[in-house]
Amino acid sequence: MAPIDPPAPRPDGPQPARHSAESQLGEFLRTRRARLKPGDVGLPDFGRRRRVPGLRREELAQLAGVSVAYYTRLEQGHGQNVSVEVLDAIARALQLSETEHAHLTHLAKPKQIRKKKKLSARPQQVRVQLQHLLDAMEGIPAYVLGRRLEVIGWNRMACALLGDFAALPPEERNMARHTFLDPVAHELYGDWEAKAVEVVSVLRLEAGCYPDDPQLSALVGELSVKSEDFRRLWAAHTVQKRGHGTKLIRHPVVGELTLAYETLALPDNHDQHLVTFHAEPGSHAAESLRLLNSWSTQPA
Protein backbone atom coordinates (compact mmCIF):
# COMPACT_ATOMS: atom_id res chain seq x y z
CA MET A 1 0.00 0.00 0.00
CA ALA A 2 1.34 3.41 -0.95
CA PRO A 3 2.05 5.72 2.00
CA ILE A 4 -0.52 8.40 2.72
CA ASP A 5 1.08 11.83 2.72
CA PRO A 6 0.13 14.66 5.02
CA PRO A 7 -0.78 17.93 3.27
CA ALA A 8 2.07 18.82 0.95
CA PRO A 9 4.45 21.50 2.24
CA ARG A 10 3.94 24.68 0.23
CA PRO A 11 6.88 26.67 -1.15
CA ASP A 12 4.75 29.77 -1.73
CA GLY A 13 4.74 32.79 0.56
CA PRO A 14 7.65 34.59 2.25
CA GLN A 15 10.80 32.46 2.28
CA PRO A 16 13.74 32.72 4.68
CA ALA A 17 17.15 33.73 3.41
CA ARG A 18 19.19 31.06 1.67
CA HIS A 19 21.64 30.96 4.56
CA SER A 20 18.75 30.37 6.95
CA ALA A 21 16.69 27.32 7.76
CA GLU A 22 15.41 26.67 4.23
CA SER A 23 18.81 25.85 2.75
CA GLN A 24 20.09 24.25 5.95
CA LEU A 25 17.14 21.85 6.13
CA GLY A 26 17.93 20.15 2.84
CA GLU A 27 21.65 20.01 3.50
CA PHE A 28 21.12 18.57 6.98
CA LEU A 29 18.77 15.85 5.71
CA ARG A 30 21.15 14.90 2.91
CA THR A 31 24.18 14.61 5.19
CA ARG A 32 22.25 12.53 7.74
CA ARG A 33 20.94 10.25 4.98
CA ALA A 34 24.43 9.85 3.50
CA ARG A 35 25.86 8.44 6.74
CA LEU A 36 23.42 5.47 6.81
CA LYS A 37 23.78 2.21 4.90
CA PRO A 38 20.89 -0.14 4.08
CA GLY A 39 22.13 -2.65 6.63
CA ASP A 40 22.04 0.00 9.35
CA VAL A 41 18.25 0.28 9.01
CA GLY A 42 17.36 -3.33 8.24
CA LEU A 43 17.11 -2.99 4.47
CA PRO A 44 18.71 -5.53 2.12
CA ASP A 45 21.94 -4.57 0.40
CA PHE A 46 22.45 -6.60 -2.73
CA GLY A 47 26.06 -5.55 -3.10
CA ARG A 48 25.51 -3.45 -6.19
CA ARG A 49 27.51 -0.28 -6.50
CA ARG A 50 25.41 2.63 -5.32
CA ARG A 51 25.51 5.93 -7.18
CA VAL A 52 25.11 7.95 -3.98
CA PRO A 53 26.59 7.45 -0.51
CA GLY A 54 24.22 6.17 2.13
CA LEU A 55 20.49 5.60 1.74
CA ARG A 56 18.56 6.58 -1.35
CA ARG A 57 15.69 9.02 -1.00
CA GLU A 58 13.16 6.30 -1.78
CA GLU A 59 14.61 4.07 0.94
CA LEU A 60 14.42 6.84 3.53
CA ALA A 61 10.88 7.73 2.45
CA GLN A 62 9.83 4.09 2.80
CA LEU A 63 11.24 3.94 6.34
CA ALA A 64 9.51 7.18 7.33
CA GLY A 65 6.18 6.23 5.77
CA VAL A 66 5.91 9.12 3.31
CA SER A 67 6.12 9.26 -0.45
CA VAL A 68 9.37 9.92 -2.27
CA ALA A 69 7.91 13.11 -3.75
CA TYR A 70 7.03 14.45 -0.32
CA TYR A 71 10.42 13.65 1.18
CA THR A 72 12.16 15.16 -1.85
CA ARG A 73 10.34 18.44 -1.24
CA LEU A 74 11.62 18.43 2.32
CA GLU A 75 15.19 17.99 1.08
CA GLN A 76 14.55 20.94 -1.22
CA GLY A 77 13.85 23.04 1.87
CA HIS A 78 10.04 23.19 1.69
CA GLY A 79 9.25 22.20 5.25
CA GLN A 80 7.25 25.14 6.56
CA ASN A 81 4.04 23.12 7.00
CA VAL A 82 5.45 19.72 7.90
CA SER A 83 3.83 18.11 10.95
CA VAL A 84 5.55 17.08 14.16
CA GLU A 85 4.52 13.47 13.48
CA VAL A 86 6.26 13.44 10.10
CA LEU A 87 9.39 15.04 11.56
CA ASP A 88 9.42 12.41 14.30
CA ALA A 89 9.11 9.63 11.72
CA ILE A 90 11.96 11.05 9.63
CA ALA A 91 14.12 11.50 12.73
CA ARG A 92 13.58 7.85 13.66
CA ALA A 93 14.36 6.71 10.13
CA LEU A 94 17.57 8.75 10.10
CA GLN A 95 18.46 7.52 13.60
CA LEU A 96 18.96 11.07 14.82
CA SER A 97 20.18 11.82 18.31
CA GLU A 98 18.03 13.93 20.62
CA THR A 99 20.07 17.01 19.76
CA GLU A 100 19.88 16.31 16.02
CA HIS A 101 16.11 15.76 16.29
CA ALA A 102 15.70 19.15 17.99
CA HIS A 103 17.89 20.76 15.31
CA LEU A 104 15.74 19.24 12.56
CA THR A 105 12.64 20.69 14.22
CA HIS A 106 14.21 24.16 14.35
CA LEU A 107 15.13 23.98 10.67
CA ALA A 108 11.77 22.69 9.46
CA LYS A 109 9.65 25.08 11.54
CA PRO A 110 11.77 28.24 11.86
CA LYS A 111 8.86 30.71 12.09
CA GLN A 112 7.22 28.87 14.97
CA ILE A 113 10.50 28.47 16.80
CA ARG A 114 11.44 32.14 16.40
CA LYS A 115 8.28 33.12 18.21
CA LYS A 116 9.73 31.44 21.27
CA LYS A 117 13.37 32.43 20.82
CA LYS A 118 13.83 36.08 19.95
CA LEU A 119 17.19 37.75 19.73
CA SER A 120 17.82 40.69 22.01
CA ALA A 121 19.38 43.72 20.38
CA ARG A 122 21.29 44.56 23.56
CA PRO A 123 24.98 43.58 23.82
CA GLN A 124 25.58 40.44 25.82
CA GLN A 125 26.81 41.13 29.32
CA VAL A 126 27.75 39.13 32.40
CA ARG A 127 25.88 39.99 35.58
CA VAL A 128 28.02 41.74 38.19
CA GLN A 129 27.36 38.97 40.72
CA LEU A 130 28.44 36.34 38.20
CA GLN A 131 31.68 38.18 37.52
CA HIS A 132 32.29 38.27 41.28
CA LEU A 133 31.80 34.50 41.32
CA LEU A 134 34.31 34.07 38.49
CA ASP A 135 36.86 36.17 40.36
CA ALA A 136 36.30 34.16 43.55
CA MET A 137 37.05 30.84 41.80
CA GLU A 138 40.69 30.93 42.84
CA GLY A 139 42.78 28.37 40.98
CA ILE A 140 39.92 27.33 38.64
CA PRO A 141 39.96 28.58 35.04
CA ALA A 142 36.43 29.75 34.21
CA TYR A 143 34.75 31.87 31.57
CA VAL A 144 31.26 32.64 30.26
CA LEU A 145 30.19 32.05 26.67
CA GLY A 146 27.34 33.94 25.08
CA ARG A 147 25.58 33.42 21.77
CA ARG A 148 27.85 32.68 18.83
CA LEU A 149 30.51 31.38 21.29
CA GLU A 150 31.48 34.90 22.31
CA VAL A 151 33.62 35.05 25.45
CA ILE A 152 31.83 37.68 27.54
CA GLY A 153 33.29 37.02 31.00
CA TRP A 154 36.38 35.33 32.44
CA ASN A 155 38.69 35.14 35.44
CA ARG A 156 42.44 35.46 35.81
CA MET A 157 43.07 31.71 35.57
CA ALA A 158 41.13 31.43 32.31
CA CYS A 159 43.49 34.01 30.80
CA ALA A 160 46.50 32.21 32.23
CA LEU A 161 45.37 28.90 30.71
CA LEU A 162 43.93 29.93 27.33
CA GLY A 163 45.19 33.45 26.61
CA ASP A 164 44.51 37.02 27.65
CA PHE A 165 40.94 37.78 26.59
CA ALA A 166 41.22 41.30 28.01
CA ALA A 167 44.00 42.11 25.54
CA LEU A 168 41.72 41.36 22.56
CA PRO A 169 39.22 43.75 20.99
CA PRO A 170 35.66 42.75 22.00
CA GLU A 171 34.80 41.51 18.50
CA GLU A 172 37.71 39.05 18.62
CA ARG A 173 36.78 37.51 21.97
CA ASN A 174 35.17 34.50 20.39
CA MET A 175 35.95 30.81 20.87
CA ALA A 176 35.33 30.02 17.18
CA ARG A 177 37.74 32.76 16.05
CA HIS A 178 40.25 31.55 18.63
CA THR A 179 40.00 27.94 17.45
CA PHE A 180 40.23 28.51 13.70
CA LEU A 181 42.05 31.82 13.23
CA ASP A 182 44.55 31.89 16.10
CA PRO A 183 47.66 29.80 15.24
CA VAL A 184 48.30 29.35 18.97
CA ALA A 185 45.14 27.21 19.24
CA HIS A 186 46.66 24.41 17.15
CA GLU A 187 49.49 24.12 19.66
CA LEU A 188 47.35 24.72 22.75
CA TYR A 189 44.81 21.90 22.25
CA GLY A 190 46.25 18.41 22.25
CA ASP A 191 43.33 17.20 20.11
CA TRP A 192 42.66 20.27 18.00
CA GLU A 193 40.38 18.39 15.60
CA ALA A 194 38.03 17.36 18.42
CA LYS A 195 37.95 20.95 19.69
CA ALA A 196 37.20 22.23 16.19
CA VAL A 197 34.37 19.74 15.66
CA GLU A 198 32.87 20.75 19.01
CA VAL A 199 32.98 24.44 18.13
CA VAL A 200 31.42 23.98 14.68
CA SER A 201 28.74 21.64 16.03
CA VAL A 202 27.64 24.21 18.61
CA LEU A 203 27.59 26.99 15.98
CA ARG A 204 25.43 24.77 13.75
CA LEU A 205 22.97 24.36 16.60
CA GLU A 206 22.95 28.14 17.15
CA ALA A 207 22.31 28.71 13.44
CA GLY A 208 19.28 26.43 13.61
CA CYS A 209 17.87 28.29 16.61
CA TYR A 210 18.58 31.77 15.22
CA PRO A 211 18.56 31.47 11.40
CA ASP A 212 18.20 35.24 10.94
CA ASP A 213 21.02 36.35 13.24
CA PRO A 214 23.15 38.69 11.06
CA GLN A 215 26.14 38.58 13.40
CA LEU A 216 26.20 34.79 13.38
CA SER A 217 25.91 34.79 9.58
CA ALA A 218 28.82 37.23 9.39
CA LEU A 219 30.92 35.07 11.71
CA VAL A 220 30.24 31.92 9.69
CA GLY A 221 31.01 33.80 6.48
CA GLU A 222 34.32 35.13 7.77
CA LEU A 223 35.43 31.75 9.09
CA SER A 224 34.42 30.07 5.83
CA VAL A 225 36.58 32.50 3.85
CA LYS A 226 39.59 32.38 6.14
CA SER A 227 39.70 28.72 7.24
CA GLU A 228 39.64 25.65 5.01
CA ASP A 229 39.22 23.50 8.12
CA PHE A 230 36.10 25.42 9.10
CA ARG A 231 34.60 25.02 5.61
CA ARG A 232 35.23 21.27 5.76
CA LEU A 233 33.66 20.81 9.17
CA TRP A 234 30.75 23.20 8.52
CA ALA A 235 29.79 21.14 5.45
CA ALA A 236 29.41 18.02 7.65
CA HIS A 237 26.36 19.52 9.42
CA THR A 238 27.19 17.96 12.79
CA VAL A 239 25.32 19.41 15.77
CA GLN A 240 25.85 19.00 19.51
CA LYS A 241 25.12 20.83 22.71
CA ARG A 242 27.77 22.34 24.92
CA GLY A 243 28.75 19.57 27.29
CA HIS A 244 31.49 18.16 29.48
CA GLY A 245 34.55 15.98 29.09
CA THR A 246 38.33 16.25 29.19
CA LYS A 247 40.83 18.25 27.22
CA LEU A 248 44.57 17.93 26.83
CA ILE A 249 46.14 21.38 27.08
CA ARG A 250 49.73 21.96 25.96
CA HIS A 251 50.63 25.06 27.91
CA PRO A 252 53.80 27.01 27.06
CA VAL A 253 54.66 27.53 30.77
CA VAL A 254 53.51 24.43 32.70
CA GLY A 255 53.51 21.87 29.88
CA GLU A 256 50.86 19.25 29.19
CA LEU A 257 47.89 18.89 31.52
CA THR A 258 44.67 16.93 31.14
CA LEU A 259 41.72 18.85 32.56
CA ALA A 260 38.04 18.04 32.98
CA TYR A 261 35.62 20.70 31.83
CA GLU A 262 31.97 21.37 32.63
CA THR A 263 29.57 23.60 30.69
CA LEU A 264 26.61 24.89 32.69
CA ALA A 265 23.65 26.84 31.29
CA LEU A 266 22.87 29.86 33.43
CA PRO A 267 19.38 29.74 34.95
CA ASP A 268 18.30 33.26 34.00
CA ASN A 269 19.85 33.32 30.51
CA HIS A 270 20.05 30.07 28.58
CA ASP A 271 22.08 31.78 25.85
CA GLN A 272 24.94 32.11 28.37
CA HIS A 273 27.03 29.20 29.64
CA LEU A 274 29.63 28.98 32.38
CA VAL A 275 32.66 26.85 31.44
CA THR A 276 35.05 25.62 34.13
CA PHE A 277 38.23 23.53 34.08
CA HIS A 278 39.47 21.42 36.98
CA ALA A 279 42.00 18.69 37.61
CA GLU A 280 41.76 15.41 39.50
CA PRO A 281 43.00 15.99 43.07
CA GLY A 282 46.58 14.88 43.56
CA SER A 283 47.21 14.55 39.85
CA HIS A 284 50.05 16.01 37.80
CA ALA A 285 47.50 18.36 36.22
CA ALA A 286 46.43 19.62 39.66
CA GLU A 287 50.04 20.50 40.46
CA SER A 288 50.38 22.18 37.06
CA LEU A 289 47.29 24.29 37.75
CA ARG A 290 48.75 25.27 41.13
CA LEU A 291 51.97 26.36 39.43
CA LEU A 292 50.01 28.23 36.77
CA ASN A 293 48.04 30.04 39.46
CA SER A 294 51.26 31.05 41.19
CA TRP A 295 52.87 32.13 37.92
CA SER A 296 49.86 34.24 36.89
CA THR A 297 49.90 36.20 40.16
CA GLN A 298 53.54 37.27 39.78
CA PRO A 299 54.02 40.92 38.84
CA ALA A 300 54.95 41.54 35.23
Side-chain angles (χ1 to χ4, degrees):
M1 180 181 294
I4 299 176
D5 288 346
R10 299 191 303 271
D12 56 316
Q15 300 296 304
R18 290 300 300 167
H19 172 69
S20 63
E22 182 185 76
S23 59
Q24 292 188 61
L25 174 60
E27 293 169 5
F28 180 68
L29 287 171
R30 284 190 290 273
T31 57
R32 298 312 90 179
R33 180 166 57 86
R35 71 181 180 180
L36 292 175
K37 299 177 182 178
D40 296 332
V41 295
L43 293 178
D45 186 350
F46 300 105
R48 293 176 297 179
R49 183 168 182 176
R50 303 172 70 86
R51 290 179 298 175
V52 296
L55 294 179
R56 300 185 180 98
R57 284 177 174 172
E58 55 265 30
E59 292 170 332
L60 197 284
Q62 175 187 347
L63 290 168
V66 298
S67 71
V68 178
Y70 185 84
Y71 178 75
T72 298
R73 291 179 72 81
L74 288 179
E75 281 204 0
Q76 292 172 345
H78 305 314
Q80 291 84 356
N81 298 316
V82 64
S83 70
V84 172
E85 291 76 16
V86 169
L87 287 178
D88 289 346
I90 291 174
R92 287 192 297 270
L94 289 171
Q95 301 182 2
L96 300 186
S97 68
E98 180 180 346
T99 301
E100 289 172 329
H101 191 167
H103 183 63
L104 174 64
T105 302
H106 278 102
L107 296 180
K109 304 174 82 69
K111 292 180 182 178
Q112 293 89 329
I113 296 298
R114 282 201 297 271
K115 292 179 181 178
K116 298 179 181 179
K117 302 194 73 171
K118 293 184 178 180
L119 279 172
S120 171
R122 294 179 299 175
Q124 299 180 87
Q125 293 181 331
V126 169
R127 289 184 292 109
V128 173
Q129 294 84 354
L130 180 56
Q131 184 60 56
H132 291 165
L133 174 63
L134 290 171
D135 295 335
M137 298 171 74
E138 187 70 20
I140 299 178
Y143 57 89
V144 176
L145 290 174
R147 293 188 307 272
R148 319 173 196 99
L149 294 180
E150 292 160 330
V151 182
I152 59 176
W154 57 86
N155 64 6
R156 174 177 51 81
M157 278 295 287
C159 292
L161 181 68
L162 302 175
D164 190 358
F165 297 115
L168 297 173
E171 64 273 12
E172 294 184 17
R173 297 171 191 160
N174 183 284
M175 195 53 62
R177 293 180 187 275
H178 164 68
T179 302
F180 288 98
L181 302 184
D182 185 352
V184 173
H186 284 267
E187 302 297 327
L188 183 66
Y189 298 103
D191 190 344
W192 181 87
E193 182 77 10
K195 172 66 175 178
V197 169
E198 173 189 298
V199 165
V200 171
S201 299
V202 170
L203 279 184
R204 265 291 179 196
L205 204 58
E206 292 283 330
C209 292
Y210 301 111
D212 297 326
D213 180 354
Q215 290 178 270
L216 178 56
S217 296
L219 174 63
V220 170
E222 179 186 359
L223 294 174
S224 298
V225 169
K226 295 182 178 179
S227 172
E228 182 179 351
D229 286 317
F230 181 85
R231 291 196 300 274
R232 169 177 58 87
L233 295 175
W234 187 254
H237 281 263
T238 57
V239 292
Q240 70 181 58
K241 295 180 179 179
R242 298 170 174 90
H244 59 86
T246 60
K247 280 187 171 55
L248 174 63
I249 303 295
R250 294 186 176 129
H251 197 272
V253 175
V254 298
E256 290 191 356
L257 60 165
T258 299
L259 299 174
Y261 70 93
E262 299 285 342
T263 307
L264 308 172
L266 299 180
D268 59 344
N269 191 333
H270 291 287
D271 284 333
Q272 296 186 7
H273 293 75
L274 172 65
V275 182
T276 64
F277 289 88
H278 65 279
E280 182 180 347
S283 65
H284 170 73
E287 176 61 18
S288 295
L289 275 185
R290 188 189 66 80
L291 292 174
L292 186 60
N293 187 33
S294 175
W295 169 77
S296 65
T297 58
Q298 294 178 2

